[in-house]
Amino acid sequence: GESLVIDFESKHFVGTVLMRIKDAPPASRDETVVGTKSYFDNRKRRFQAVVKGKFKTPLKMSECVTGQVFSRPSGSLPARWIVTSFIKFVSTLAPQLEANIDGQHPRFLTPLVSTAHTVLEKNHNGNSREESLQSDEPQTNEHFVDKDDRLFNFRVYAGAIDIEAYIEEPSADDAFSIMKHAPDASLVDAGSVSKRQRARKKAFNSIAAKHADEPCFLLDQEYSFEFYQHLLVFDDSLAIDMGRPVGKVQLAPITDGQPIKFMAAHKDPENGQLDELWSFDIW
């Protein structure tokens, strides 16, 4: 397998995304491609994405979402019981699921912070590339590369150089944990990684359900979001593996040829409109 690394910028966020897709065709050599030969070995996962970057707007965490959005109505849906079973399954994992499959613009949205498998918040000094080049410290390509290859908005974020580094959910008392913003975080037992993930998901699902004004994303922090899953199959055609007795459900007829997305957005609490933080189409 290979990984695709892209620097990007939107109205509210600037960062770097890494995507790994099992059994996907090789990426174009015009893109930045890094070998990841063994990532999927001994893992059930078929997809992994990591986003690292900084917010340019102090958005409320309760108003930021991730999921799927489509620009036109869905196509031919499978049997209603299959659709109902799938939505019920997703709802058990994401209690704040917003599912609309019958409208003009179908979408499936869940809170960003409680949906990601790993979330880190790390202090970032925010020095621009220009400021760093003027400092007394020697600069190398380990810190910054030519601006033709990286983002231009260096005053905010110069792109992640450690995007491939292994990350895992920290304990609630760790300096990098986003749980410091959650109520009663000090009462959370460190436990295993899965227990720490469940504690964060529970805490931030509650924050989303209350439409809380706090916490907000901080502008002087670098945020890392990791997502992975094993249901989507990327071999001959895009499908969802529903397991027995359903098996694989082809997505092209359902989406009417529209791509699925790896996306996150700010959701306006008044009208529900989405302002994308990032969005990448997967065909």
Short mmCIF file of all heavy atoms in Angstrom, two decimals, residues 114-177:
data_model
loop_
_atom_site.label_atom_id
_atom_site.label_comp_id
_atom_site.label_asym_id
_atom_site.label_seq_id
_atom_site.Cartn_x
_atom_site.Cartn_y
_atom_site.Cartn_z
N SER A 114 -16.08 13.58 18.86
CA SER A 114 -16.46 12.28 19.41
C SER A 114 -16.43 11.18 18.36
O SER A 114 -16.50 10.00 18.72
CB SER A 114 -17.87 12.36 20.03
OG SER A 114 -18.82 12.74 19.05
N THR A 115 -16.31 11.52 17.08
CA THR A 115 -16.29 10.51 16.03
C THR A 115 -14.88 10.03 15.72
O THR A 115 -14.66 8.85 15.45
CB THR A 115 -16.94 11.05 14.74
OG1 THR A 115 -18.29 11.43 15.02
CG2 THR A 115 -16.94 10.00 13.65
N ALA A 116 -13.92 10.94 15.72
CA ALA A 116 -12.53 10.56 15.43
C ALA A 116 -12.06 9.48 16.40
O ALA A 116 -12.46 9.47 17.57
CB ALA A 116 -11.63 11.78 15.51
N HIS A 117 -11.22 8.58 15.91
CA HIS A 117 -10.69 7.52 16.77
C HIS A 117 -9.59 8.03 17.70
O HIS A 117 -9.39 7.49 18.79
CB HIS A 117 -10.16 6.37 15.93
CG HIS A 117 -11.24 5.57 15.28
ND1 HIS A 117 -11.83 5.94 14.09
CD2 HIS A 117 -11.87 4.42 15.66
CE1 HIS A 117 -12.76 5.05 13.77
NE2 HIS A 117 -12.80 4.13 14.70
N THR A 118 -8.87 9.04 17.26
CA THR A 118 -7.82 9.64 18.07
C THR A 118 -7.88 11.15 17.89
O THR A 118 -8.03 11.64 16.78
CB THR A 118 -6.42 9.15 17.65
OG1 THR A 118 -6.40 7.72 17.61
CG2 THR A 118 -5.35 9.64 18.63
N VAL A 119 -7.76 11.89 19.01
CA VAL A 119 -7.72 13.35 18.96
C VAL A 119 -6.60 13.82 19.89
O VAL A 119 -6.53 13.40 21.04
CB VAL A 119 -9.05 13.99 19.39
CG1 VAL A 119 -8.95 15.52 19.29
CG2 VAL A 119 -10.20 13.49 18.55
N LEU A 120 -5.74 14.69 19.36
CA LEU A 120 -4.66 15.27 20.16
C LEU A 120 -4.72 16.79 20.04
O LEU A 120 -5.09 17.33 19.00
CB LEU A 120 -3.28 14.79 19.69
CG LEU A 120 -3.00 13.29 19.67
CD1 LEU A 120 -1.62 13.03 19.11
CD2 LEU A 120 -3.13 12.70 21.06
N GLU A 121 -4.33 17.46 21.11
CA GLU A 121 -4.23 18.92 21.12
C GLU A 121 -2.85 19.28 21.66
O GLU A 121 -2.53 18.99 22.81
CB GLU A 121 -5.33 19.53 22.00
CG GLU A 121 -5.32 21.05 22.03
CD GLU A 121 -6.33 21.60 23.02
OE1 GLU A 121 -6.02 21.59 24.24
OE2 GLU A 121 -7.40 22.04 22.59
N LYS A 122 -2.03 19.89 20.81
CA LYS A 122 -0.63 20.14 21.15
C LYS A 122 -0.29 21.59 20.93
O LYS A 122 -0.63 22.17 19.90
CB LYS A 122 0.27 19.25 20.28
CG LYS A 122 1.75 19.40 20.52
CD LYS A 122 2.52 18.47 19.58
CE LYS A 122 4.03 18.62 19.79
NZ LYS A 122 4.78 17.73 18.85
N ASN A 123 0.41 22.19 21.91
CA ASN A 123 0.78 23.59 21.79
C ASN A 123 1.64 23.80 20.55
O ASN A 123 2.54 23.02 20.25
CB ASN A 123 1.53 24.06 23.04
CG ASN A 123 1.81 25.54 23.00
OD1 ASN A 123 0.90 26.36 22.88
ND2 ASN A 123 3.08 25.90 23.09
N HIS A 124 1.34 24.87 19.80
CA HIS A 124 2.08 25.19 18.58
C HIS A 124 2.46 26.65 18.63
O HIS A 124 1.60 27.53 18.77
CB HIS A 124 1.20 24.91 17.35
CG HIS A 124 1.94 24.98 16.05
ND1 HIS A 124 2.18 26.16 15.40
CD2 HIS A 124 2.50 24.01 15.28
CE1 HIS A 124 2.84 25.92 14.28
NE2 HIS A 124 3.04 24.62 14.18
N ASN A 125 3.78 26.95 18.52
CA ASN A 125 4.22 28.33 18.74
C ASN A 125 3.76 29.28 17.66
O ASN A 125 3.75 30.49 17.86
CB ASN A 125 5.75 28.39 18.87
CG ASN A 125 6.48 27.84 17.66
OD1 ASN A 125 5.97 27.87 16.54
ND2 ASN A 125 7.69 27.33 17.87
N GLY A 126 3.39 28.76 16.47
CA GLY A 126 2.81 29.61 15.45
C GLY A 126 3.79 30.49 14.71
O GLY A 126 3.39 31.39 13.98
N ASN A 127 5.12 30.26 14.89
CA ASN A 127 6.08 31.07 14.16
C ASN A 127 5.91 30.89 12.67
O ASN A 127 5.71 29.78 12.18
CB ASN A 127 7.52 30.69 14.54
CG ASN A 127 7.88 31.19 15.92
OD1 ASN A 127 7.21 32.05 16.46
ND2 ASN A 127 8.93 30.62 16.49
N SER A 128 6.02 31.96 11.94
CA SER A 128 5.93 31.87 10.49
C SER A 128 7.25 31.36 9.94
O SER A 128 8.29 31.36 10.61
CB SER A 128 5.64 33.25 9.89
OG SER A 128 6.76 34.10 10.03
N ARG A 129 7.23 30.94 8.69
CA ARG A 129 8.45 30.50 8.03
C ARG A 129 9.44 31.66 7.97
O ARG A 129 10.64 31.49 8.19
CB ARG A 129 8.12 30.01 6.62
CG ARG A 129 9.33 29.50 5.83
CD ARG A 129 8.84 28.94 4.50
NE ARG A 129 9.90 28.26 3.78
CZ ARG A 129 10.68 28.85 2.87
NH1 ARG A 129 10.50 30.13 2.61
NH2 ARG A 129 11.61 28.16 2.23
N GLU A 130 8.94 32.86 7.69
CA GLU A 130 9.81 34.02 7.58
C GLU A 130 10.49 34.32 8.91
O GLU A 130 11.69 34.62 8.97
CB GLU A 130 9.01 35.23 7.10
CG GLU A 130 8.54 35.14 5.64
CD GLU A 130 7.34 34.23 5.47
OE1 GLU A 130 6.77 33.79 6.48
OE2 GLU A 130 6.97 33.95 4.31
N GLU A 131 9.73 34.25 10.01
CA GLU A 131 10.29 34.51 11.33
C GLU A 131 11.35 33.48 11.68
O GLU A 131 12.39 33.80 12.26
CB GLU A 131 9.18 34.50 12.38
CG GLU A 131 8.23 35.68 12.27
CD GLU A 131 7.03 35.51 13.17
OE1 GLU A 131 6.70 34.37 13.54
OE2 GLU A 131 6.40 36.53 13.49
N SER A 132 11.11 32.23 11.34
CA SER A 132 12.05 31.18 11.65
C SER A 132 13.35 31.35 10.87
O SER A 132 14.44 31.12 11.38
CB SER A 132 11.44 29.80 11.34
OG SER A 132 10.32 29.58 12.15
N LEU A 133 13.24 31.80 9.61
CA LEU A 133 14.43 32.00 8.80
C LEU A 133 15.26 33.17 9.31
O LEU A 133 16.47 33.22 9.10
CB LEU A 133 14.03 32.24 7.34
CG LEU A 133 13.45 31.02 6.61
CD1 LEU A 133 12.97 31.44 5.23
CD2 LEU A 133 14.48 29.90 6.50
N GLN A 134 14.61 34.12 10.01
CA GLN A 134 15.33 35.26 10.54
C GLN A 134 15.93 34.99 11.92
O GLN A 134 16.69 35.78 12.43
CB GLN A 134 14.39 36.47 10.63
CG GLN A 134 13.94 36.98 9.26
CD GLN A 134 12.85 38.01 9.37
OE1 GLN A 134 12.48 38.43 10.47
NE2 GLN A 134 12.32 38.43 8.22
N SER A 135 15.58 33.84 12.52
CA SER A 135 16.07 33.54 13.86
C SER A 135 17.52 33.09 13.80
O SER A 135 18.08 32.82 12.74
CB SER A 135 15.21 32.44 14.50
OG SER A 135 15.45 31.21 13.86
N ASP A 136 18.15 33.01 14.98
CA ASP A 136 19.54 32.59 15.07
C ASP A 136 19.71 31.09 14.92
O ASP A 136 20.82 30.61 14.71
CB ASP A 136 20.14 33.04 16.42
CG ASP A 136 20.18 34.56 16.53
OD1 ASP A 136 20.30 35.21 15.46
OD2 ASP A 136 20.11 35.07 17.66
N GLU A 137 18.64 30.33 15.04
CA GLU A 137 18.75 28.88 14.97
C GLU A 137 18.89 28.44 13.53
O GLU A 137 18.23 28.95 12.63
CB GLU A 137 17.50 28.23 15.58
CG GLU A 137 17.32 28.52 17.05
CD GLU A 137 16.11 27.82 17.60
OE1 GLU A 137 15.49 27.05 16.84
OE2 GLU A 137 15.78 28.06 18.77
N PRO A 138 19.81 27.48 13.27
CA PRO A 138 19.96 26.99 11.91
C PRO A 138 18.69 26.29 11.44
O PRO A 138 18.05 25.58 12.20
CB PRO A 138 21.13 25.99 12.02
CG PRO A 138 21.13 25.56 13.45
CD PRO A 138 20.68 26.77 14.23
N GLN A 139 18.31 26.50 10.17
CA GLN A 139 17.10 25.92 9.62
C GLN A 139 17.46 24.86 8.59
O GLN A 139 18.39 25.05 7.80
CB GLN A 139 16.23 27.00 8.96
CG GLN A 139 15.79 28.09 9.91
CD GLN A 139 14.90 27.57 11.02
OE1 GLN A 139 14.04 26.73 10.79
NE2 GLN A 139 15.12 28.05 12.23
N THR A 140 16.76 23.78 8.60
CA THR A 140 16.98 22.71 7.64
C THR A 140 15.64 22.30 7.05
O THR A 140 14.58 22.72 7.52
CB THR A 140 17.63 21.47 8.31
OG1 THR A 140 16.65 20.87 9.18
CG2 THR A 140 18.85 21.86 9.12
N ASN A 141 15.70 21.45 6.06
CA ASN A 141 14.47 20.97 5.44
C ASN A 141 13.67 20.08 6.36
O ASN A 141 12.55 19.69 6.04
CB ASN A 141 14.79 20.22 4.14
CG ASN A 141 15.15 21.18 3.02
OD1 ASN A 141 14.79 22.34 3.08
ND2 ASN A 141 15.87 20.69 2.04
N GLU A 142 14.25 19.72 7.52
CA GLU A 142 13.47 18.95 8.49
C GLU A 142 12.37 19.82 9.07
O GLU A 142 11.39 19.31 9.60
CB GLU A 142 14.38 18.45 9.62
CG GLU A 142 15.39 17.42 9.17
CD GLU A 142 16.29 16.98 10.30
OE1 GLU A 142 16.19 17.54 11.40
OE2 GLU A 142 17.07 16.05 10.08
N HIS A 143 12.54 21.13 9.01
CA HIS A 143 11.54 22.03 9.58
C HIS A 143 10.69 22.71 8.51
O HIS A 143 9.49 22.82 8.63
CB HIS A 143 12.23 23.09 10.43
CG HIS A 143 12.95 22.53 11.62
ND1 HIS A 143 14.26 22.12 11.57
CD2 HIS A 143 12.51 22.26 12.87
CE1 HIS A 143 14.62 21.66 12.76
NE2 HIS A 143 13.59 21.73 13.56
N PHE A 144 11.35 23.18 7.45
CA PHE A 144 10.60 23.85 6.39
C PHE A 144 11.17 23.46 5.04
O PHE A 144 12.37 23.29 4.90
CB PHE A 144 10.67 25.38 6.54
CG PHE A 144 10.06 25.89 7.81
CD1 PHE A 144 10.86 26.24 8.88
CD2 PHE A 144 8.70 26.00 7.93
CE1 PHE A 144 10.30 26.70 10.04
CE2 PHE A 144 8.14 26.47 9.11
CZ PHE A 144 8.94 26.82 10.17
N VAL A 145 10.32 23.32 4.07
CA VAL A 145 10.76 23.04 2.71
C VAL A 145 10.35 24.19 1.82
O VAL A 145 9.67 25.12 2.23
CB VAL A 145 10.15 21.72 2.18
CG1 VAL A 145 10.61 20.56 3.03
CG2 VAL A 145 8.63 21.80 2.15
N ASP A 146 10.81 24.15 0.58
CA ASP A 146 10.54 25.24 -0.33
C ASP A 146 9.05 25.55 -0.42
O ASP A 146 8.22 24.64 -0.47
CB ASP A 146 11.08 24.90 -1.72
CG ASP A 146 10.98 26.09 -2.64
OD1 ASP A 146 11.91 26.92 -2.60
OD2 ASP A 146 9.97 26.20 -3.38
N LYS A 147 8.70 26.83 -0.46
CA LYS A 147 7.29 27.22 -0.43
C LYS A 147 6.52 26.73 -1.64
O LYS A 147 5.29 26.66 -1.62
CB LYS A 147 7.15 28.73 -0.28
CG LYS A 147 7.65 29.53 -1.49
CD LYS A 147 7.48 31.01 -1.22
CE LYS A 147 7.94 31.84 -2.40
NZ LYS A 147 7.77 33.28 -2.14
N ASP A 148 7.22 26.39 -2.71
CA ASP A 148 6.53 25.85 -3.88
C ASP A 148 5.93 24.48 -3.59
O ASP A 148 5.05 24.02 -4.30
CB ASP A 148 7.49 25.75 -5.06
CG ASP A 148 7.88 27.13 -5.58
OD1 ASP A 148 7.10 28.08 -5.36
OD2 ASP A 148 8.96 27.25 -6.17
N ASP A 149 6.43 23.81 -2.55
CA ASP A 149 5.97 22.47 -2.22
C ASP A 149 5.07 22.44 -1.01
O ASP A 149 4.57 21.39 -0.63
CB ASP A 149 7.17 21.54 -1.96
CG ASP A 149 8.05 21.38 -3.19
OD1 ASP A 149 7.48 21.30 -4.30
OD2 ASP A 149 9.27 21.36 -3.02
N ARG A 150 4.90 23.58 -0.37
CA ARG A 150 4.13 23.61 0.87
C ARG A 150 3.10 24.73 0.85
O ARG A 150 3.00 25.51 -0.10
CB ARG A 150 5.07 23.78 2.07
CG ARG A 150 5.84 22.50 2.40
CD ARG A 150 4.96 21.55 3.18
NE ARG A 150 5.70 20.35 3.54
CZ ARG A 150 5.23 19.43 4.34
NH1 ARG A 150 4.05 19.56 4.91
NH2 ARG A 150 5.93 18.35 4.61
N LEU A 151 2.35 24.84 1.93
CA LEU A 151 1.33 25.88 2.02
C LEU A 151 1.96 27.27 2.05
O LEU A 151 3.06 27.46 2.55
CB LEU A 151 0.52 25.67 3.31
CG LEU A 151 -0.26 24.37 3.38
CD1 LEU A 151 -0.82 24.21 4.79
CD2 LEU A 151 -1.38 24.36 2.37
N PHE A 152 1.24 28.24 1.53
CA PHE A 152 1.74 29.60 1.50
C PHE A 152 1.44 30.35 2.81
O PHE A 152 2.07 31.33 3.12
CB PHE A 152 1.13 30.37 0.32
CG PHE A 152 1.70 29.95 -1.00
CD1 PHE A 152 1.10 28.97 -1.75
CD2 PHE A 152 2.87 30.53 -1.48
CE1 PHE A 152 1.63 28.58 -2.97
CE2 PHE A 152 3.41 30.15 -2.69
CZ PHE A 152 2.79 29.16 -3.45
N ASN A 153 0.44 29.89 3.55
CA ASN A 153 0.04 30.60 4.77
C ASN A 153 0.93 30.18 5.94
O ASN A 153 0.48 29.58 6.90
CB ASN A 153 -1.43 30.31 5.08
CG ASN A 153 -1.97 31.30 6.09
OD1 ASN A 153 -1.23 32.03 6.72
ND2 ASN A 153 -3.28 31.31 6.25
N PHE A 154 2.21 30.51 5.88
CA PHE A 154 3.13 30.06 6.91
C PHE A 154 2.92 30.80 8.24
O PHE A 154 3.41 30.36 9.26
CB PHE A 154 4.58 30.26 6.45
CG PHE A 154 4.98 29.31 5.35
CD1 PHE A 154 5.11 29.74 4.06
CD2 PHE A 154 5.20 27.98 5.64
CE1 PHE A 154 5.46 28.87 3.06
CE2 PHE A 154 5.57 27.09 4.64
CZ PHE A 154 5.71 27.54 3.35
N ARG A 155 2.23 31.93 8.20
CA ARG A 155 1.98 32.64 9.45
C ARG A 155 1.04 31.85 10.35
O ARG A 155 1.00 32.08 11.54
CB ARG A 155 1.40 34.02 9.15
CG ARG A 155 2.42 34.99 8.57
CD ARG A 155 1.80 36.36 8.34
NE ARG A 155 2.81 37.30 7.87
CZ ARG A 155 3.20 37.40 6.61
NH1 ARG A 155 2.64 36.62 5.69
NH2 ARG A 155 4.11 38.27 6.25
N VAL A 156 0.30 30.92 9.77
CA VAL A 156 -0.62 30.11 10.56
C VAL A 156 -0.07 28.72 10.78
O VAL A 156 -0.01 28.23 11.90
CB VAL A 156 -2.01 30.03 9.87
CG1 VAL A 156 -2.95 29.13 10.67
CG2 VAL A 156 -2.60 31.41 9.72
N TYR A 157 0.37 28.10 9.69
CA TYR A 157 0.80 26.70 9.81
C TYR A 157 1.58 26.32 8.56
O TYR A 157 1.12 26.56 7.43
CB TYR A 157 -0.43 25.79 9.94
CG TYR A 157 -0.13 24.37 10.35
CD1 TYR A 157 0.30 24.08 11.65
CD2 TYR A 157 -0.29 23.32 9.46
CE1 TYR A 157 0.55 22.77 12.04
CE2 TYR A 157 -0.04 22.01 9.84
CZ TYR A 157 0.38 21.74 11.13
OH TYR A 157 0.63 20.45 11.51
N ALA A 158 2.76 25.73 8.75
CA ALA A 158 3.64 25.42 7.62
C ALA A 158 3.46 24.00 7.11
O ALA A 158 4.20 23.56 6.25
CB ALA A 158 5.09 25.64 8.03
N GLY A 159 2.48 23.28 7.63
CA GLY A 159 2.28 21.89 7.21
C GLY A 159 2.95 20.94 8.20
O GLY A 159 3.98 21.25 8.81
N ALA A 160 2.37 19.77 8.37
CA ALA A 160 2.88 18.79 9.32
C ALA A 160 4.01 17.99 8.69
O ALA A 160 3.85 17.42 7.62
CB ALA A 160 1.77 17.84 9.77
N ILE A 161 5.16 17.94 9.37
CA ILE A 161 6.29 17.15 8.88
C ILE A 161 6.32 15.78 9.54
O ILE A 161 7.12 14.93 9.15
CB ILE A 161 7.63 17.88 9.12
CG1 ILE A 161 7.83 18.14 10.62
CG2 ILE A 161 7.67 19.18 8.34
CD1 ILE A 161 9.18 18.73 10.96
N ASP A 162 5.44 15.56 10.52
CA ASP A 162 5.41 14.27 11.24
C ASP A 162 4.08 13.57 11.03
O ASP A 162 3.61 12.84 11.90
CB ASP A 162 5.67 14.48 12.73
CG ASP A 162 4.63 15.41 13.38
OD1 ASP A 162 3.88 16.08 12.63
OD2 ASP A 162 4.57 15.45 14.62
N ILE A 163 3.47 13.78 9.87
CA ILE A 163 2.12 13.27 9.63
C ILE A 163 2.07 11.75 9.69
O ILE A 163 1.02 11.16 9.99
CB ILE A 163 1.60 13.78 8.26
CG1 ILE A 163 0.09 13.52 8.10
CG2 ILE A 163 2.39 13.19 7.11
CD1 ILE A 163 -0.78 14.33 8.98
N GLU A 164 3.17 11.07 9.41
CA GLU A 164 3.18 9.61 9.43
C GLU A 164 3.48 9.02 10.81
O GLU A 164 3.42 7.81 10.98
CB GLU A 164 4.18 9.07 8.43
CG GLU A 164 3.76 9.22 6.98
CD GLU A 164 4.62 8.39 6.06
OE1 GLU A 164 5.78 8.76 5.87
OE2 GLU A 164 4.13 7.35 5.56
N ALA A 165 3.81 9.87 11.77
CA ALA A 165 4.15 9.38 13.10
C ALA A 165 2.96 8.67 13.75
O ALA A 165 1.81 9.07 13.59
CB ALA A 165 4.62 10.54 13.98
N TYR A 166 3.25 7.61 14.49
CA TYR A 166 2.20 6.86 15.17
C TYR A 166 1.59 7.72 16.27
O TYR A 166 2.29 8.42 17.01
CB TYR A 166 2.80 5.59 15.79
CG TYR A 166 1.82 4.82 16.65
CD1 TYR A 166 0.82 4.05 16.08
CD2 TYR A 166 1.91 4.89 18.05
CE1 TYR A 166 -0.09 3.36 16.87
CE2 TYR A 166 1.00 4.19 18.84
CZ TYR A 166 0.02 3.43 18.24
OH TYR A 166 -0.88 2.75 19.02
N ILE A 167 0.27 7.71 16.36
CA ILE A 167 -0.42 8.43 17.42
C ILE A 167 -1.44 7.51 18.07
O ILE A 167 -1.93 6.57 17.44
CB ILE A 167 -1.12 9.72 16.92
CG1 ILE A 167 -2.20 9.39 15.89
CG2 ILE A 167 -0.11 10.70 16.35
CD1 ILE A 167 -3.01 10.60 15.46
N GLU A 168 -1.74 7.77 19.33
CA GLU A 168 -2.80 7.04 20.02
C GLU A 168 -3.46 7.95 21.03
O GLU A 168 -2.90 8.98 21.42
CB GLU A 168 -2.26 5.78 20.70
CG GLU A 168 -1.40 6.02 21.92
CD GLU A 168 -1.04 4.73 22.64
OE1 GLU A 168 -0.99 3.68 21.98
OE2 GLU A 168 -0.81 4.78 23.86
N GLU A 169 -4.66 7.58 21.42
CA GLU A 169 -5.43 8.38 22.38
C GLU A 169 -4.68 8.48 23.70
O GLU A 169 -4.37 7.47 24.33
CB GLU A 169 -6.79 7.73 22.60
CG GLU A 169 -7.73 8.55 23.46
CD GLU A 169 -8.31 9.75 22.72
OE1 GLU A 169 -8.28 9.76 21.48
OE2 GLU A 169 -8.79 10.67 23.40
N PRO A 170 -4.37 9.71 24.16
CA PRO A 170 -3.65 9.86 25.43
C PRO A 170 -4.60 9.73 26.62
O PRO A 170 -5.82 9.80 26.47
CB PRO A 170 -3.09 11.28 25.33
CG PRO A 170 -4.09 12.01 24.49
CD PRO A 170 -4.62 11.00 23.50
N SER A 171 -4.03 9.56 27.79
CA SER A 171 -4.84 9.55 29.01
C SER A 171 -5.36 10.96 29.27
O SER A 171 -4.81 11.95 28.78
CB SER A 171 -4.01 9.06 30.20
OG SER A 171 -2.88 9.88 30.39
N ALA A 172 -6.42 11.07 30.05
CA ALA A 172 -7.09 12.34 30.25
C ALA A 172 -6.19 13.38 30.91
O ALA A 172 -6.39 14.59 30.72
CB ALA A 172 -8.36 12.14 31.09
N ASP A 173 -5.20 12.94 31.69
CA ASP A 173 -4.32 13.89 32.37
C ASP A 173 -3.07 14.22 31.55
O ASP A 173 -2.20 14.95 32.02
CB ASP A 173 -3.93 13.36 33.75
CG ASP A 173 -3.22 12.01 33.68
OD1 ASP A 173 -3.09 11.45 32.57
OD2 ASP A 173 -2.82 11.49 34.74
N ASP A 174 -2.98 13.68 30.34
CA ASP A 174 -1.85 13.97 29.46
C ASP A 174 -1.98 15.40 28.91
O ASP A 174 -3.08 15.88 28.65
CB ASP A 174 -1.81 12.97 28.31
CG ASP A 174 -0.54 13.04 27.50
OD1 ASP A 174 -0.38 14.01 26.73
OD2 ASP A 174 0.31 12.13 27.62
N ALA A 175 -0.84 16.06 28.72
CA ALA A 175 -0.86 17.44 28.20
C ALA A 175 -1.48 17.53 26.82
O ALA A 175 -2.00 18.58 26.43
CB ALA A 175 0.57 17.99 28.17
N PHE A 176 -1.42 16.43 26.05
CA PHE A 176 -1.93 16.44 24.68
C PHE A 176 -3.40 16.02 24.59
O PHE A 176 -3.97 15.99 23.51
CB PHE A 176 -1.11 15.52 23.78
CG PHE A 176 0.32 15.96 23.59
CD1 PHE A 176 1.25 15.07 23.07
CD2 PHE A 176 0.74 17.23 23.94
CE1 PHE A 176 2.58 15.47 22.89
CE2 PHE A 176 2.05 17.64 23.78
CZ PHE A 176 2.98 16.76 23.25
N SER A 177 -4.02 15.70 25.71
CA SER A 177 -5.40 15.21 25.69
C SER A 177 -6.39 16.36 25.57
O SER A 177 -6.28 17.39 26.25
CB SER A 177 -5.71 14.42 26.96
OG SER A 177 -7.08 14.06 26.98
#
